[in-house]
Amino acid sequence: MIYVLAILLPPLGLLFNGQPFAALGNVVLLVVCGVLGLLFPGLWLVPSIHAAVSIYMTREDRRHRELVDAIERHGPPPDWRR
């Protein structure tokens, strides 16, 4: 659901994902692409793509951090060297 929000309202999707600085940068990107989008219509997609990729990367980073924390707490799985 966050990806739909990121595509339709990119800064709001980034804010809900906990990325306020990326949301602020996305607002600037949205304004620039809005002005230049009159000449190049494909630029309207750039803020949405930025938001979706940023949300994906942040979620992958959180998942990776959780795995590393679990390994540090409990040790590696029993058969991890096969």
Side-chain angles (χ1 to χ4, degrees):
M1 192 67 182
I2 190 82
Y3 291 108
V4 173
L5 188 61
I7 290 171
L8 297 178
L9 298 168
L12 196 58
L14 288 168
L15 276 177
F16 283 161
N17 197 43
Q19 299 174 288
F21 295 114
L24 185 63
N26 198 288
V27 168
V28 172
L29 189 63
L30 194 61
V31 170
V32 170
C33 288
V35 170
L36 293 177
L38 299 172
L39 299 173
F40 307 105
L43 286 179
W44 284 99
L45 297 174
V46 173
S48 297
I49 293 170
H50 168 259
V53 169
S54 181
I55 288 172
Y56 175 77
M57 290 175 58
T58 302
R59 287 183 170 221
E60 284 297 314
D61 186 46
R62 287 178 190 158
R63 187 176 302 138
H64 177 72
R65 239 181 297 128
E66 287 175 3
L67 280 172
V68 169
D69 289 343
I71 290 173
E72 286 176 351
R73 264 190 312 237
H74 304 291
D79 292 330
W80 71 282
R81 284 206 171 179
R82 275 193 197 206

